[in-house]
Amino acid sequence: RTRCRRFHLLSDARLSIAICSVPERAALVQRTLERLGRRVPVLLDVERRGNRWNSRRAWSAVDGHSTHHLVLEDDALVCRDFIRVAEAALTAKPDALVTFFTPKIDLLKAKELHRSWARISTVFWTQAISLPTSRVAQFLKWEREHLPEEYPRKEGTLGMFVQAAGLEVFCTAPNLVNHAEVASAMGHSPPSNRVSHWFLGDGDGSGIDWTKGIEEPIEIRYPWTARDSYQKWRKKNA
């Protein structure tokens, strides 16, 4: 019981954060900054060089005093008291790639089973991705050395890296981040079918026991891997 309360009240994890954005989404970014209650780097893709390029800049903005680094998209909605609750979660699961968002309805199984974690087979959504700080430089080096510059997909680079590095992908249950229902920067319609089925929102996250489900998380599986997606891209662009 003492061990469980430790994760409720104390955080050994220290989170640094950077936000990827484009200039026309300044209002979304300001909302996120107000919600976070902390000034964090905002990386603007003014020249439209692409999400992988900008994501790399955001990963490079890691604070050396942190234990974990988080890259947020500008259309991410963070829960109340996000940093404290996220640090508590990362204290319980310090060695994985952790995402704080998934739109998969499978997450409701974790709610039903009273578990605080889902394990996901690959990286697909990048609204809110964190890595241990010790892995960030390794990731940036790996993606430069193994993937061509013209490959555009940041989720693919992360997915292939975690596979190569033997990392697991875990997702918090409930989600601490949601996907704002706004038109995408690429012009797609608002993602009404791409929002969390279990979002903490304005709820109180201080009582979440992040030890529940660590050993037996629910499983969320995709029928393909990031490597499959990359090979498909290579074939199309050969």
Side-chain angles (χ1 to χ4, degrees):
R1 182 172 299 177
T2 301
R3 181 170 178 267
C4 292
R5 284 183 59 81
R6 178 172 178 267
F7 292 118
H8 291 181
L9 302 176
L10 300 178
S11 293
D12 297 322
R14 299 181 305 279
L15 189 63
S16 72
I17 302 172
I19 300 174
C20 285
S21 188
V22 289
E24 61 268 28
R25 286 188 156 187
L28 291 177
V29 171
Q30 184 59 36
R31 178 186 62 187
T32 299
L33 292 173
E34 291 173 0
R35 190 80 163 171
L36 290 174
R38 178 196 291 183
R39 293 175 63 89
V40 303
V42 178
L43 288 307
L44 292 178
D45 185 2
V46 176
E47 299 177 356
R48 297 290 188 172
R49 295 183 62 178
N51 60 27
R52 181 185 166 199
W53 174 82
N54 205 30
S55 177
R56 182 187 296 155
R57 297 168 69 217
W59 284 110
S60 299
V62 61
D63 178 348
H65 297 290
S66 64
T67 61
H68 294 78
H69 186 56
L70 169 72
V71 173
L72 281 173
E73 298 294 321
D74 55 17
D75 57 3
L77 297 172
V78 299
C79 70
R80 179 166 67 93
D81 206 10
F82 170 80
I83 293 174
R84 186 172 66 86
V85 180
E87 286 179 339
L90 292 170
T91 297
K93 193 65 184 172
D95 300 322
L97 179 150
V98 172
T99 176
F100 297 97
F101 167 77
T102 179
K104 297 284 280 185
I105 197 170
D106 309 58
L107 193 70
L108 292 178
K109 185 176 180 182
K111 188 175 187 180
E112 177 186 342
L113 296 175
H114 304 287
R115 297 178 188 175
S116 300
W117 294 97
R119 181 163 46 213
I120 303 180
S121 62
T122 192
V123 178
F124 188 73
W125 298 91
T126 57
Q127 255 54 46
I129 296 282
S130 74
L131 278 172
T133 302
S134 59
R135 293 283 191 173
V136 172
Q138 181 185 358
F139 162 59
L140 292 171
K141 182 175 184 290
W142 184 92
E143 65 103 20
R144 284 195 306 269
E145 293 178 350
H146 291 84
L147 298 173
E149 278 296 314
E150 58 269 24
Y151 180 62
R153 300 187 60 141
K154 60 184 181 294
E155 69 277 12
T157 62
L158 281 162
M160 284 184 280
F161 168 71
V162 297
Q163 186 176 359
L167 291 174
E168 293 182 303
V169 180
F170 272 73
C171 181
T172 55
N175 287 166
L176 306 186
V177 168
N178 206 350
H179 194 166
E181 294 190 64
V182 295
S184 77
M186 299 177 67
H188 301 311
S189 298
S192 59
N193 63 334
R194 291 181 282 164
V195 295
S196 174
H197 289 273
W198 185 18
F199 174 44
L200 181 60
D202 287 323
D204 181 6
S206 63
I208 297 174
D209 182 355
W210 293 109
T211 65
K212 288 185 176 180
I214 287 182
E215 300 301 326
E216 294 183 329
I218 69 155
E219 301 284 344
I220 297 177
R221 302 200 65 82
Y222 287 90
W224 41 262
T225 67
R227 178 65 63 178
D228 294 333
S229 179
Y230 173 65
Q231 294 296 347
K232 183 177 180 180
W233 174 86
R234 285 193 64 180
K235 184 177 180 180
K236 180 180 179 180
N237 292 275

